[in-house]
Amino acid sequence: MKIKYLLALALSISLSVVAVGQDIITINGKEFSGNKGYIYGKLMDKETGEDIIGAIVSIPELKEATVTDINGEFRLRAPKGEIIMEATSVGFEVSTFKARVLGSGNFRLYLVPASTQLDEVVISGSKGDANVKSTDIGKNSLSIESIKELPMVMGEVDVIKSLTLLPGVSTNSELSTGFNVRGGGSDQNLVLLGDVPIYNPAHLFGFYTAFNADVVDDVSLYKGGVPARYGGRASSVLHVKYRDGDYDKWKSNLSVGVVSSKLAVEGPIIKQKLSVLGSVRRSYLNYTLKAFDDPDIRESSAGFYDFNVIANLKLNNRNKLTYSIYKSSDNFNLAGDTIYNWVNFYQAANWYHSFSDKFSLKATGALSTYSNTIENRSLVNPYKLNTEINNQILNLDLEYIFNDQASLNAGVNFNRTMLQPGELKPDNPETSSIDAEKVQEENANEIAYYLDASYEITPRLSVTGGIRYNTYNYLGGHTIYYYEPYREKIEETIVDSLHFGDNESIQTYSGWEPRFTARYTLSDMSSIKLGYNRMYQYIQLISNTTTIAPNDIWKLSDNYLKPQISEQLSLGYFQNFNKNKFETSVEGFYKEIDNVVDYKDGANLFLNDHIETELNSGQGRSYGLELYLKKNSGGRLKGWISYTYSRSLRKIEGPYKRETINGGEWYAANYDRKHNFTNVLIYQLPKKWEFSSTFTFKTGQPITYPAGKFEYGSSVLSLYTNRNTERAPMYHRLDISFTKKFYVFENKNAEFNFSVYNLYGRKNPFSVFTQDVVGSPPQAYQLAVLGVPFPSISFTFYL
């Protein structure tokens, strides 16, 4: 990690020194032969005994500083005699202390957790002025403590929905498994759990996140100024970081709610050496749905489960191994005979090695699978449709810290993607009128090399710059179709085909991805920042919906479908007031994307082995302004207000009529939202009660209404003209939550939560559709999935 970066991000911590029972440390041993030498120490959490990784230990007067390694150990250059030391780490209070250095030696320091950590809304997990002093632009970080203070969704802490309350982030409806960042599509977000990509990060079509908060440490979202170590998506990066299990003692927590329950257990297998953290979560929503009067809800079914296991082994003071396994599974039926099921599964191993206190290595290997199944259980021609994505991942990341003004990161990322776009199997091939069908599998290798550096030029000016070079190879076995020149690509114009053998190269792409951010401090409480990044995306979601769904099609770039290439420029002004109690920012952005994909009018995307005949490509652009006001501390009331004005537009213009949309003019993308307003309030009530609420308002999503209707044979069909020229009704919703913290037997903590989702029962549209009315134009209707207040309660016991 970068020392200056950590200094800007560290919260105040309290340092309790245990050494011969004194406040002043005497390090006995051989005296230093020169004016300066090294002292060695270890930082540990006094309550849990867990090593504190990434903490800052410094001698402010001498401008000497270092960072604790993976074992909580540090080496600091210090002179003989008395010195004033300071240590900082997220979640702890701060104090300075004296040390009398007589010679080299080792000592242990126990750090006391901040007593007010759970009572503060820590959006960035950093110092109050980090938004002003860091070079980050377009980045939001949330600690789990801050997420837990927000209204729960059906009794559950939700990581992704918490992000949608921040400027520049939105979703389309309750049943939105993805999210949109700065006018980007849901498939343009790289979602990482640990260091592994997740393709569908939700349960129940978006009511729940697929990430269990009990195993999460913090969450970082990069909307702009993306570091060079990340790539593969055109819009943003969401990194969900695991926490370590306790190395000193066993503990657990059990949460029981009306929709789901979960259990987390952690502790040492070998004290101070091998720890394990495990969690499991399961729903019983089917019983809850039966209690509703609405027949569409009552006749639906839904269920999910997920589990995580994270094991950490400290081999020695230079090496640490981590193994993690994760699985989530869903099944969903919305008042019909079709069941949707999707599964995320991965295994990952990490090796951390410290060459010295300045030079470190992280190696990651992972195998992941995302699969979904659509099962039709109708009495006539039942079937199953399966799709699957497999990834093989290897990452090597190096970090070198020159001093507290400069650092360097470098590495290589390898990702092999194996994709099965669709396989249809009738339940009974002998009697079914549906034929078994399988779309060709796809394979590709992507390798990227990156270099990233940060440097504080002056106390006022800091910069971070990086470069990433990616290479992509689309591989066989696969058959490529060729079309008649100067004619529209349709099935009837196929003139030839060529089969490529396994792992034979079909198409290659490569490109440079520069990254740059700069911060200029105007005063102790204000700064301006500039950011630029270029990103490539080689896997795309082919869909005519506004969000990720199990029946969507993921497609790799080939010789027809080129990679998306985005360029974004961000500019922001950051200002704090009243000793950082109030935080404000204004950020503007402009983004251009080449090779965006949209479907042709009347496109057939289902099990299409030459899907390029149904797609158009063109240009995309988005721009917007984000306003943010947050009250950090002081008094019982905390929270924030955010407003985003954003546009996301596309221009599809080809040589033929069906390859052009809206006459080649710019039109709104499916996820374009002009206005997005959120308000979060958290109020501390007497007797350890807490009230919180969130209010969301946003412009309705673009839709296409029919301009009329016509008869074709015996059928009456709707007539459509331009795409996405109208808007669905506006979206707004209020959620509230009451939380009570209390003690149970033997000083064990417990927590009670009561929350109401959609308090005033707004019937927000999940979808808008039209039906024919005899003698009248087609009539528009909307489907609201959860248009009633949804109360929930949950109990959590910390054992």
Side-chain angles (χ1 to χ4, degrees), residues 264-310:
V265 180
E266 61 182 300
I269 304 297
I270 304 174
K271 278 195 173 185
Q272 297 302 318
K273 190 174 185 67
L274 174 60
S275 74
V276 65
L277 167 63
S279 72
V280 61
R281 177 171 57 159
R282 189 173 186 88
S283 73
Y284 30 82
L285 187 60
N286 287 337
Y287 303 103
T288 307
L289 295 176
K290 302 302 180 186
F292 281 83
D293 294 331
D294 190 324
D296 286 337
I297 298 178
R298 190 174 61 250
E299 296 173 9
S300 299
S301 64
F304 69 85
Y305 73 86
D306 59 50
F307 70 83
N308 300 264
V309 177
I310 304 102

Side-chain angles (χ1 to χ4, degrees), residues 210-240:
F211 307 137
N212 189 339
D214 289 338
V215 299
V216 173
D217 187 17
D218 59 49
V219 182
S220 296
L221 176 66
Y222 298 89
K223 301 178 295 185
V226 180
R229 66 180 178 272
Y230 298 118
R233 296 297 188 273
S235 185
S236 73
V237 176
L238 171 62
H239 193 178
V240 181

Side-chain angles (χ1 to χ4, degrees), residues 493-543:
T493 61
I494 295 176
V495 295
D496 199 0
S497 64
L498 179 62
H499 182 77
F500 291 81
D502 290 348
N503 296 316
E504 187 177 354
S505 178
I506 300 175
Q507 179 69 43
T508 61
Y509 295 100
S510 62
W512 294 95
E513 301 178 57
R515 316 287 173 85
F516 174 79
T517 60
R519 179 227 70 212
Y520 185 79
T521 302
L522 301 174
S523 68
D524 288 341
M525 304 289 282
S526 64
S527 67
I528 56 174
K529 300 180 186 180
L530 177 69
Y532 168 82
N533 57 253
R534 192 170 195 246
M535 303 175 73
Y536 279 68
Q537 179 169 334
Y538 292 105
I539 185 169
Q540 303 183 36
L541 186 66
I542 308 301
S543 173

